[in-house]
DNA sequence: TTCAGTTGTCTAGATTAATAGACAACTACC
DNA sequence: GGTAGTTGTCTATTAATCTAGACAACTGAA
């Protein structure tokens, strides 16, 4: 942080919003780790070159997000944080990847359905268009904070029961195992970034204007046959991706 | 686009700004490819549920960016676009990766210097802290549109003259070759996303609030010895990254 | 030429965001 | 108990954003 970057006026983004965003990344960078709390509001106001009330609006917004908590007479405490790094390589697995960065890693199945494959999905899975695919939507949580939401497609001809296994077991890796596929590999991952849409914001409890990292991946079996393609959106505030080639 | 997603009020982001952002992604998605121009302003206004003047502010902003051009009495034409996909794998090269997606791919060297390695850089390059490194900053252009800016670090002990070669030749791959390194591999790439800072916006002509994809990479020689680490920021509107593992 | 369709400009008013200052309320520490 | 340091609340004012309506200016086609 510090006063070297003043806020931008007339940019279409309100000052309190810019300030909230910058404080959020400062917290993620560990800038206030020593004290565990933010500098007083009037000091932040002079740093950013705005009025104390404007800073207060930013802090109220961050408090709404659950990132900080203001206590009258005392200060503003940092209560939530954590930036995760998720490794992506040949053997990418969501829960294993987070590893020791967190104490609990869970996924929640939101929805599943069987439908004829859209052209794009069929091409990625290398099946004929309109052949049935199983679509599964799930959300990922780390220490009970939502960090991702994803959409998976499996060829229904090969894994007709994978949705039932997923519901029962909860893990894609183990659902594959239950379908007779003990191992699989990540063939490709395409990453882009954009603003979160309304549904993503709802699922991951993001604020308007938040950024998501979108990873489109294809997994194959050991014979290089596609077994799954998926589209996972990560909250960019909470996750970065590390590719190992 | 379409009216199913109304704009959000009191989100800290002005309505014209939200509308500009959404029209920008609609254009990138090819939504108006048939006509080559946007619907009339009053129609956009009803779609988004705002006043025509608000839409006009959004269009003026996009025109400032060079993405559209309004012609009185005629309509609003889409004049600039293109979303590139840059492959990232063992043999990632900037100019080769863009390949046939564009007719011209160039880089411009902005700055170079020799300095003692900061701790983080030294660790990535596996050299002793404070040993000299060559820092090079450059910008990447595709069809004369800026799409990236990057910072590269090379161990000065091994490649003392790489900056001179880079100035003379312009290509990192060929500068390495001139330093006696005919081939090198991408060891790791870490990708994150955030809002562009002031300098990135200036270099890539981005609007305030634009998103950048940041890729931190390490390249090694064939003996797995690091030869370069770099930090490249791509305009997320213009580039997506495709990892092949 | 006419006219429907579109963008450009102007004025006015309502709503929201930001500034300014004063003071109350609370905490921690002496 | 007192006090320095901090957040909470209130009022008032100014600036920016959004809405509303009217009409001018221009384009392309009938």
């Amino acid at each position: 942080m510090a006063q070297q970057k003043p806020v931008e006026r007339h940019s279409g983004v309100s000052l309190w919003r810019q300030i909230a965003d910058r404080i959020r990344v400062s917290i993620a960078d560990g800038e206030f780790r020593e004290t565990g709390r933010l500098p007083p509001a009037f000091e932040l106001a002079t740093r950013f070159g705005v009025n104390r009330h404007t800073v207060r609006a930013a802090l109220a917004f961050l408090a709404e997000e659950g990132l900080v908590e203001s206590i009258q007479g005392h200060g503003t405490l940092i209560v939530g944080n954590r930036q995760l790094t998720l490794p992506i390589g040949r053997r990418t697995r969501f829960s294993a990847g987070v590893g020791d960065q967190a104490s609990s890693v869970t996924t929640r199945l939101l929805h599943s359905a069987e439908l004829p494959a859209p052209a794009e999905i069929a091409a990625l899975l290398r099946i004929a268009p309109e052949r049935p695919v199983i679509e599964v939507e799930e959300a990922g949580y780390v220490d009970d904070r939502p960090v991702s939401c994803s959409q998976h497609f499996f060829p229904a001809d090969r894994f007709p029961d994978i949705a039932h296994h997923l519901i029962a077991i909860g893990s894609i890796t183990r659902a594959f195992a239950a379908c007779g596929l003990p191992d699989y590999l990540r063939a490709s991952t395409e990453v882009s970034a954009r603003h979160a849409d309304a549904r993503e914001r709802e699922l991951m409890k993001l604020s308007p204007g938040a950024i998501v990292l979108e990873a489109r991946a294809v997994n194959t079996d050991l014979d290089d046959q596609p077994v799954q393609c998926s589209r996972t959106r990560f909250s960019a505030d909470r996750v970065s991706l590390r590719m190992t080639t």
Side-chain angles (χ1 to χ4, degrees), chain A:
Chain A
M1 197 138 64
Q3 53 276 66
Q4 69 270 21
K5 287 193 212 165
V7 289
E8 296 164 28
R9 289 161 194 269
H10 317 133
S11 68
V13 183
S14 62
L15 302 186
W16 62 264
R17 187 57 192 274
Q18 294 179 51
I19 290 168
D21 290 341
R22 281 172 52 177
I23 292 175
R24 198 190 294 109
V25 314
S26 289
I27 290 173
D29 288 350
E31 190 155 336
F32 312 108
R33 209 174 303 158
E34 295 182 11
T35 59
R37 60 183 200 174
L38 299 182
F42 64 86
E43 188 181 324
L44 290 172
T46 59
R47 281 200 198 180
F48 287 115
V50 301
N51 192 276
R52 181 171 78 97
H53 294 88
T54 309
V55 168
R56 281 180 56 72
L59 295 181
F61 184 70
L62 293 173
E64 186 81 20
E65 283 185 344
L67 186 58
V68 302
E69 190 176 352
S70 289
I71 297 170
Q72 185 170 7
H74 185 67
T76 302
L77 306 179
I78 297 165
V79 295
N81 192 6
R82 273 186 305 280
Q83 165 95 345
L84 300 167
T85 299
L86 193 64
I88 292 194
R90 289 291 277 169
R91 258 162 231 281
T92 296
R93 308 287 188 267
F94 177 67
S95 52
V98 179
D100 56 359
Q101 298 178 69
S103 56
S104 94
V105 181
T106 57
T107 58
R108 187 160 66 89
L109 198 139
L110 302 171
H111 163 88
S112 79
E114 181 167 335
L115 67 167
E120 193 191 353
I121 302 298
L124 289 172
L125 290 177
R126 277 193 255 136
I127 61 177
E130 304 297 320
R131 291 300 307 160
V133 291
I134 312 271
E135 179 198 8
V136 172
E137 220 178 343
E138 61 177 19
Y141 302 81
V142 171
D143 291 343
D144 297 325
R145 273 171 74 80
V147 299
S148 70
C149 60
S150 40
Q151 213 180 2
H152 305 283
F153 294 92
F154 306 93
D157 289 335
R158 180 158 174 196
F159 304 104
D161 298 324
I162 194 156
H164 307 118
H165 288 121
L166 257 177
I167 292 167
I169 329 186
S171 145
I172 289 176
T173 303
R174 288 193 287 167
F176 268 139
C179 292
L181 180 73
D183 194 12
Y184 60 97
L185 296 173
R186 174 68 59 100
S188 72
T189 309
E190 181 166 336
V191 179
S192 56
R194 56 176 171 75
H195 288 109
D197 67 26
R199 179 160 169 73
E200 289 155 0
R201 287 204 308 272
E202 185 200 336
L203 286 172
M204 296 194 268
K205 300 202 196 310
L206 301 176
S207 54
I211 300 175
V212 292
L213 269 170
E214 176 166 320
R216 290 168 180 265
V218 176
N219 286 331
T220 59
D221 62 18
L222 302 185
D223 297 327
D224 212 35
Q225 194 62 31
V227 295
Q228 171 194 10
C229 70
S230 61
R231 184 171 77 99
T232 303
R233 288 87 84 204
F234 298 96
S235 161
D237 281 338
R238 299 168 196 163
V239 176
S240 68
L241 304 177
R242 178 179 177 81
M243 278 79 203
T244 48
T245 54

